[in-house]
Every structure is written in structure tokens, then in C-alpha cells.
């Protein structure tokens, strides 16, 4: 009998194949679960109704919600409404095949209420039939990165000390606000803290920084709208851009606002255990002219601020038609002064300083005049302050010194080697690091003795930095040059410093001489100065002596030298040469 063949039946083979497939699928699913379960990012599936159908365990870590309670919930729950709407549009674009993948930043509110920032990346997925079944993607927590980026951006556009906008943000903000339809009622307010340097010098930069912070916070109160902006321009300068002013009377509203700012900044400020107080100068530009150029706004604001400071500080000035005309003249003067240097239009006049008889001339003051091609000879009060303002005083001052040395050499060769020429030296010139070297160079080139020169310095220069001033004065004295304290009594009058300064001459200002002898205050100042000078062994020169009554009063006090129209007016080089040769 033939034996029957043994082996699995077809049914058994099919069953074994199914079991093997199930095992492989289970292993594959386990590998998938192991893989996504240990990811830091959320792996998700959404159905076509935007409900969660799959979430890995990272979901709980990132959101604080369990996977179990979240499955079946709508995507938009917990997501910022604006971001949810934007993502919904993105999902629609995937289904319509406008996009193959979307990437969005979304704000998600953690279970503890904290707002986190996620990056969502997703694609549409199909089922076995090829139809769209939903969406699959990844959520990554980018909160730390976004915060770092925001911090970097903030630092790029804000002042590190005060937290208000910096110049860069202000310029971009103005660019946006003034592009296209310009706000009909907007203005720029330029604020400068008066004498802020003294706060740093007296109390240290730490106190100064605290004060700047307090000022910035106070100014924020005056910029309530989103389109308004407070910015620190650097140093102690701030700008406020205001829009939305009263369309019926914006100027009156600005007057009230700026006056309130000025008064607010003028109040004492408590910084720790220290109370300090400052004032402010404010320039205002109303942006109500259709033809005003963006590049001109700050120039106009600066001009208004300049006017406020030069009017005595602690004031508000608007840039208006009158100031605009003044600014044009100022700019024209700046150009003309620069041209005057280039064209050599400056000349020296000389006013003798005589003894009480008016006959003996041993000294004279060199006085600057401007020979304008259209206006003729321009007096110094009309242009010297502007030389200081425009930064032209150093080259002009150096020219004065060189010309004085040249004239002294010329008169010396003509027979007068006893004349001493008194030359005014500005603060900027005296403090320049090359000043002493230039003086030595002039003496050497023109081959004159230092005793033939006297430098006139104001009290402010003399006591600004006493140790440095004394050192520089002693160097000049070693060259034979004498030092005169000019306009004595009009400045700081710090008599305690006087005995330490190596000066040889005091010049009594003409403002005190004019009132002699009837003005008791002027007479007392002059008498006290004379007594002090005699005790210190100083020569006294009285400026502005114009009549015999003044002369007689000064003679009784034994004044040494006299300068004024009673004896000689300032004269050109040719006329003065005839007088002394």
C-alpha cells in the first residue's frame, strides 16, 4: 500500500503567511512607535475635519495636555485664533494642491497658560484608494529661538540703557509714517537736557545713566498712541514723534504738551539717596507743510533746539517762518565765514593800552575784524560767536597768533622792540593738544621773544580744569609769554583760584567801567579788584575808558593801564604803525 504524502495544507500555508505578515506589521508598528515615541518633536495626524487622530508622547511634554484627552479634539483648540485661521487656509491649499507642504509659526497656549511658539510643518496624506484622508506633520517648539531672535531685534532697534527706540528705529518709523499720505497733525519734538555733563562730572556716570532712564520713562507718557514714538538719539538728546494732534489747533496742543514736558523734566528726581534736578531745551517742528522734505525735518528740529539753548536754555522754541529766515541767514553766514578764511578776508586791528597820560604805549590788543566784500568791515560781535559755533575758531585763532607775530617782527625791525601785543585765545584753541607746539613754532619762525606776547584768557577757561590750566600756563610762562585774565568779574570770579594761577594781568571788563563812578555796584567791584590786584602784584588794565570822569576815578585807584576811545580807538595796521614808530 502506497503511503500518503505529508505536509501543510494550502489553508495552513495561508494561515502561516498571514501570521507572519501580522508579526512583521506588529514589529514595524513597534519600531515606528519606538521611533516617534522618543522624538522631541510632536508627530501628528489630522483628519479632514482637522481633528487630531494621532499624537506621540512629545505632545504632552510640549503642551501639557495628555494624548488621550487631545485625540479627537479640533486642531484650533489651544492655538491662537489668527494662527489657526492661517493654518486652515494652508491645509486647504494642500488639498487643492496649490502647495505640497506648508510651514507656519503658531502660538499655542500651554496647559499652564504660558504661550509657546511652535513651528508646524505638514503634508496632505492619501488612503489606500488614493483619496485625501487628512494631514501628517511635525510640531517643533521654537519658543527659545523666537525669544532670542526677538531680543536681538529689540537690541538692534532700541537703546540699551533706556529701552526706548534708538535712532535706527526712529528713522524707519518716520519713513513709514511720512510715506504716502502724510499725517496732517504730526510733529517732531527734539529734547536736550541742559548741563547734563555736570551731573556726570559731579555724581558719576552711574547717576547720569539712572537720570537718563528716568527721563525716558517720563517721556513715554507723552506718546500714548501706537503711531507715536520716543527715541534716544544718543547722549542726553531725545526725540518724540507725535501724530493724531488736534486738527483744529495742533500748535496750541503742542504748546501745552511741550510746556508740560519742560515742567516735568524740571522737577527734582530722587536717585537712590541722591536728589538731582535738571532743565531741558526743546525744539519743535510741526509736520504741516506739504513741501517739507524728510531730510530737512531733523535739521529744522535742531535749529529750533539751537534757538532754545541760545535763548537761555530751559525753553521751548518752534520752527516757524521767523526762525526759518534766521536759519537761512545762519547757514549763509557759515558759508561766508568759511569763504572768508579761504579768501583771507580777516584783518587785524590794534587798540593801544596806555598809561594815565595817554602818551606812553607799551601794549596793544590785537582785535579781529572781517573785511566783508559787500558789507565792509564787520565788528567782532557779529561773527566771532559764530566762528566758535561752526568750529572755525581754531584756524582763525591760529591765523591771529601768526599774524601778530609777523607784525611784531615787522615793528621790531622798524625800531620798536618794546611793544607787547595782547592776543585773545579761545577755550577751544587753548585746550587743543597742539596749542603749545604751535605757539613755539610761531615764536621760532618769526624769531621774536615770548615777552612780546600776552595771551588773554577768560575766567571760564582759567578754572575749567585748574591743574591742566596751571600746567599749560607755566609752559607759556617759561617761553616768556604773559597771561592776562580777560573780562574779570563777569565770569566765575573764583578768587580762591586766582592766587594759584600764574597770571600777570587783570583786565576789568568795560561793563563795570561804564558805570563809574556813579554806579555803586560797579565802583565797589572795581575798587575791590584794584586792591586785590595790588596785593597780588598784578597789572590792571581798564577796558572801555571813554571819558575823563571814568579816567579820574581809575587814577585815584592807581590803575596801571587804560584802553578805550578816550585815548585811542581800534585802528588798522598802517595807522597803528605810524603811532608807535
Amino acid at each position: 500500500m502506497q503511503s500518503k504524502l505529508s505536509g501543510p495544507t494550502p489553508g495552513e500555508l495561508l494561515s502561516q503567511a498571514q501570521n507572519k505578515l501580522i508579526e512583521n506589521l506588529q514589529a514595524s508598528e513597534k519600531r515606528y512607535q519606538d521611533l516617534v515615541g522618543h522624538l522631541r518633536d510632536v508627530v501628528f495626524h489630522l483628519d479632514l475635519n482637522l481633528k487630531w487622530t494621532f499624537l506621540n508622547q512629545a505632545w504632552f511634554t510640549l503642551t501639557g495636555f495628555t494624548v488621550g484627552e487631545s485625540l479627537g479634539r479640533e486642531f484650533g483648540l489651544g492655538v491662537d485664533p489668527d494662527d489657526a485661521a492661517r493654518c486652515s487656509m494652508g491645509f486647504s491649499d494642500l488639498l487643492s494642491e496649490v502647495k505640497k507642504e506648508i510651514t507656519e509659526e503658531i502660538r499655542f497656549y500651554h496647559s499652564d497658560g504660558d504661550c509657546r511658539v511652535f513651528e508646524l510643518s505638514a503634508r496632505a496624506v492619501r488612503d489606500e484608494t488614493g483619496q485625501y484622508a487628512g494631514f501628517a506633520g511635525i510640531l517643533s517648539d521654537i519658543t527659545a529661538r523666537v525669544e532670542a531672535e526677538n531680543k536681538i531685534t529689540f537690541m538692534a532697534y532700541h537703546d540699551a540703557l533706556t529701552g526706548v527706540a534708538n535712532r535706527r528705529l526712529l528713522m524707519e518709523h518716520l519713513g513709514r509714517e511720512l510715506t504716502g499720505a502724510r499725517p496732517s497733525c504730526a510733529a517732531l519734538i527734539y529734547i536736550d537736557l541742559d548741563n547734563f555733563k555736570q551731573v556726570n562730572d559731579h555724581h558719576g556716570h552711574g547717576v547720569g545713566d539712572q537720570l537718563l532712564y528716568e527721563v525716558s520713562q517720563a517721556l513715554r507718557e507723552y506718546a500714548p498712541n501706537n503711531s507715536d514714538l520716543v527715541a534716544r538719539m544718543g547722549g542726553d538728546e531725545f526725540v518724540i514723534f507725535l501724530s493724531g494732534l488736534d486738527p483744529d489747533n495742533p500748535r496750541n496742543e503742542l504748546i501745552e504738551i511741550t510746556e508740560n514736558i519742560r515742567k516735568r523734566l524740571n522737577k527734582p528726581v530722587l536717585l537712590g539717596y541722591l536728589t538731582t534736578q535738571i532743565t531741558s531745551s526743546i525744539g519743535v517742528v510741526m509736520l504741516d507743510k506739504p513741501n517739507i522734505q524728510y531730510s530737512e525735518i531733523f535739521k529744522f528740529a535742531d535749529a529750533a533746539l539751537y534757538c532754545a539753548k541760545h535763548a537761555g536754555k530751559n525753553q521751548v522754541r518752534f520752527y516757524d517762518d521767523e526762525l526759518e529766515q534766521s536759519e537761512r541767514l545762519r547757514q549763509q553766514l557759515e558759508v561766508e565765514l568759511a569763504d572768508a578764511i579761504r579768501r583771507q578776508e580777516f584783518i587785524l586791528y590794534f587798540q593801544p593800552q596806555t598809561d594815565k597820560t595817554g602818551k606812553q604805549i607799551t601794549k596793544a590788543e590785537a582785535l579781529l575784524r572781517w573785511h566783508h566784500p559787500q558789507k565792509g568791515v564787520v565788528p567782532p560781535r557779529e561773527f566771532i560767536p559764530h566762528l566758535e559755533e561752526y568750529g572755525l575758531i581754531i584756524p582763525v585763532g591760529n591765523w591771529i597768533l601768526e599774524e601778530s607775530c609777523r607784525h611784531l617782527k615787522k615793528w621790531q625791525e622798524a625800531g620798536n622792540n618794546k611793544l607787547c601785543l595782547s592776543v585773545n585765545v579761545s577755550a577751544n584753541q587753548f585746550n587743543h593738544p597742539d596749542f603749545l607746539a604751535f605757539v613755539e613754532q610761531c615764536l621760532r619762525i618769526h624769531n621774536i621773544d615770548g615777552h612780546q606776547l600776552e595771551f588773554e584768557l577768560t575766567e571760564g577757561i582759567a578754572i575749567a580744569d585748574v591743574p591742566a590750566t596751571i600746567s599749560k600756563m607755566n609752559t607759556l610762562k617759561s617761553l616768556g609769554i604773559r597771561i592776562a585774565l580777560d573780562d574779570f568779574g563777569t565770569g566765575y570770579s573764583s578768587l580762591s583760584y586766582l592766587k594759584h594761577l600764574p597770571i600777570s594781568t587783570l583786565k576789568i571788563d568795560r561793563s563795570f567801567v561804564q558805570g563809574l563812578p556813579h554806579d555803586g555796584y560797579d565802583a565797589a567791584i572795581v575798587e575791590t579788584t584794584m586792591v586785590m590786584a595790588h596785593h597780588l602784584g598784578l597789572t590792571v588794565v581798564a577796558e572801555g575808558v571813554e571819558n575823563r570822569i571814568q579816567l579820574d576815578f581809575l587814577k585815584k585807584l592807581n590803575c596801571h593801564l587804560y584802553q578805550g576811545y578816550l585815548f585811542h580807538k581800534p585802528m588798522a595796521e598802517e595807522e597803528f604803525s605810524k603811532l608807535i614808530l
Side-chain angles (χ1 to χ4, degrees):
M1 182 177 185
Q2 188 177 6
S3 62
K4 189 177 182 180
L5 296 175
S6 63
T9 66
E12 291 173 335
L13 289 173
L14 178 61
S15 177
Q16 290 174 4
Q18 288 177 336
N19 291 336
K20 187 67 174 177
L21 178 61
I22 292 171
E23 290 176 4
N24 290 338
L25 286 173
Q26 289 175 340
S28 177
E29 184 176 351
K30 185 176 186 304
R31 287 195 298 270
Y32 177 75
Q33 292 285 0
D34 289 341
L35 176 64
V36 300
H38 291 86
L39 289 177
R40 293 183 179 180
D41 296 333
V42 173
V43 177
F44 69 85
H45 292 171
L46 288 166
D47 62 19
L48 292 176
N49 295 319
L50 300 186
K51 293 183 178 181
W52 303 110
T53 59
F54 175 82
L55 293 164
N56 65 345
Q57 287 303 313
W59 172 259
F60 175 73
T61 305
L62 266 61
T63 68
F65 297 103
T66 65
V67 172
E69 67 180 309
S70 300
L71 290 177
R73 296 178 64 183
E74 294 183 357
F75 164 79
L77 295 176
V79 179
D80 181 88
D82 292 338
D83 298 341
R86 194 175 65 256
C87 287
S88 294
M89 294 177 61
F91 291 134
S92 297
D93 289 340
L94 292 176
L95 295 179
S96 60
E97 299 186 359
V98 173
K99 296 178 181 178
K100 292 184 177 181
E101 183 177 1
I102 62 170
T103 300
E104 299 284 353
E105 280 191 13
I106 64 172
R107 288 160 290 179
F108 189 96
Y109 292 92
H110 193 277
S111 63
D112 62 8
D114 187 27
C115 182
R116 312 290 295 176
V117 182
F118 295 161
E119 183 178 77
L120 177 147
S121 298
R123 286 176 176 266
V125 293
R126 300 175 186 269
D127 60 17
E128 298 83 355
T129 66
Q131 300 298 311
Y132 283 120
F135 310 92
I138 294 175
L139 286 174
S140 303
D141 189 344
I142 60 170
T143 306
R145 189 187 80 192
V146 170
E147 288 176 349
E149 291 172 350
N150 290 342
K151 184 176 182 180
I152 292 171
T153 302
F154 184 88
M155 292 172 64
Y157 285 95
H158 292 79
D159 177 57
L161 175 63
T162 63
V164 299
N166 59 13
R167 179 189 292 268
R168 179 181 179 183
L169 178 55
L170 175 65
M171 301 304 284
E172 292 188 9
H173 184 79
L174 286 177
R176 290 191 298 269
E177 291 293 323
L178 302 181
T179 299
R182 178 167 296 177
S184 59
C185 299
L188 192 79
I189 303 172
Y190 205 159
I191 303 163
D192 181 87
L193 305 183
D194 300 326
N195 304 317
F196 177 74
K197 184 177 181 297
Q198 294 183 8
V199 175
N200 280 334
D201 292 345
H202 294 163
H203 305 299
H205 288 275
V207 171
D209 288 350
Q210 290 181 54
L211 180 58
L212 290 174
Y213 177 80
E214 294 297 331
V215 167
S216 70
Q217 301 312 299
L219 295 180
R220 284 178 186 266
E221 300 175 13
Y222 298 93
N225 301 320
N226 291 334
S227 56
D228 300 337
L229 192 71
V230 177
R232 182 185 175 207
M233 301 297 285
D236 57 356
E237 294 182 350
F238 293 86
V239 165
I240 302 179
F241 172 77
L242 290 182
S243 60
L245 297 169
D246 181 3
D248 296 326
N249 206 334
R251 185 181 177 94
N252 280 354
E253 184 179 3
L254 273 172
I255 290 173
E256 181 180 355
I257 290 172
T258 52
E259 190 59 24
N260 287 338
I261 291 173
R262 188 190 66 80
K263 291 178 180 178
R264 172 68 182 275
L265 297 184
N266 197 22
K267 291 181 179 180
V269 180
L270 180 62
L271 303 173
Y273 297 102
L274 174 69
T275 299
T276 186
Q277 187 171 9
I278 57 168
T279 60
S280 62
S281 298
I282 302 175
V284 184
V285 179
M286 296 184 63
L287 308 180
D288 56 352
K289 295 182 179 180
N291 59 343
I292 189 172
Q293 297 298 313
Y294 173 71
S295 59
E296 294 178 323
I297 294 174
F298 282 96
K299 183 172 68 174
F300 294 162
D302 190 60
L305 178 61
Y306 169 87
C307 183
K309 285 189 125 3
H310 282 257
K313 301 181 180 180
N314 195 25
Q315 298 186 39
V316 178
R317 286 291 182 272
F318 279 69
Y319 189 85
D320 49 25
D321 292 340
E322 181 181 351
L323 199 153
E324 184 173 1
Q325 177 64 20
S326 174
E327 179 63 13
R328 285 200 190 100
L329 294 175
R330 193 173 75 92
Q331 291 174 359
Q332 180 183 347
L333 179 60
E334 183 176 5
V335 172
E336 290 180 348
L337 285 173
D339 289 342
I341 296 175
R342 182 170 51 85
R343 297 171 183 168
Q344 299 181 343
E345 294 173 359
F346 292 114
I347 54 177
L348 287 184
Y349 272 47
F350 304 93
Q351 187 173 29
Q353 297 174 1
T354 71
D355 65 359
K356 58 186 177 183
T357 66
K359 297 178 181 179
Q360 186 176 359
I361 301 174
T362 58
K363 288 174 66 178
E365 182 178 359
L367 301 168
L368 184 66
R369 297 291 185 268
W370 179 14
H371 198 284
H372 194 281
Q374 283 82 40
K375 301 175 184 176
V377 178
V378 182
R381 66 179 178 275
E382 295 184 17
F383 68 90
I384 286 184
H386 299 288
L387 288 174
E388 294 269 10
E389 175 189 350
Y390 306 143
L392 300 174
I393 195 65
I394 291 179
V396 173
N398 289 346
W399 176 85
I400 293 172
L401 179 56
E402 197 153 21
E403 277 293 286
S404 297
C405 291
R406 187 178 68 81
H407 282 300
L408 282 170
K409 184 62 177 178
K410 178 181 177 181
W411 293 324
Q412 181 181 339
E413 291 175 346
N416 187 336
N417 58 2
K418 295 183 179 179
L419 181 72
C420 176
L421 204 54
S422 190
V423 177
N424 289 278
V425 175
S426 71
N428 288 337
Q429 188 180 9
F430 183 78
N431 293 323
H432 194 278
D434 297 332
F435 175 64
L436 292 177
F438 183 76
V439 172
E440 293 176 349
Q441 175 183 303
C442 287
L443 294 177
R444 184 175 63 256
I445 290 175
H446 296 282
N447 193 27
I448 63 170
D449 193 291
H451 291 90
Q452 294 179 267
L453 278 175
E454 181 177 72
F455 287 165
E456 293 190 15
L457 307 174
T458 63
E459 292 180 59
I461 300 173
I463 70 168
D465 184 350
V466 175
T469 298
I470 291 175
S471 175
K472 193 166 286 191
M473 284 183 173
N474 282 329
T475 301
L476 294 172
K477 188 176 180 181
S478 69
L479 298 173
I481 298 172
R482 286 175 275 186
I483 304 295
L485 207 56
D486 195 16
D487 301 337
F488 184 74
T490 62
Y492 296 90
S493 300
S494 300
L495 303 182
S496 61
Y497 292 121
L498 203 58
K499 64 181 180 180
H500 300 295
L501 299 174
I503 62 175
S504 58
T505 304
L506 282 183
K507 295 193 73 175
I508 300 177
D509 187 68
R510 65 180 66 250
S511 62
F512 298 119
V513 175
Q514 286 175 352
L516 298 178
H518 306 296
D519 188 306
Y521 176 81
D522 289 345
I525 290 289
V526 172
E527 287 180 15
T528 302
T529 301
M530 289 292 187
V531 172
M532 178 184 62
H534 289 148
H535 279 293
L536 295 175
L538 303 176
T539 299
V540 179
V541 179
E543 291 183 298
V545 181
E546 297 179 354
N547 57 59
R548 308 268 339 161
I549 297 176
Q550 295 168 344
L551 176 64
D552 291 341
F553 183 85
L554 291 165
K555 280 182 179 180
K556 292 177 183 178
L557 299 176
N558 295 319
C559 183
H560 302 102
L561 295 174
Y562 304 83
Q563 180 179 344
Y565 276 59
L566 177 63
F567 297 107
H568 299 284
K569 64 178 182 179
M571 56 191 76
E573 185 267 338
E574 184 178 355
E575 183 181 358
F576 182 71
S577 296
K578 292 178 182 178
L579 183 66
I580 63 171
L581 296 177

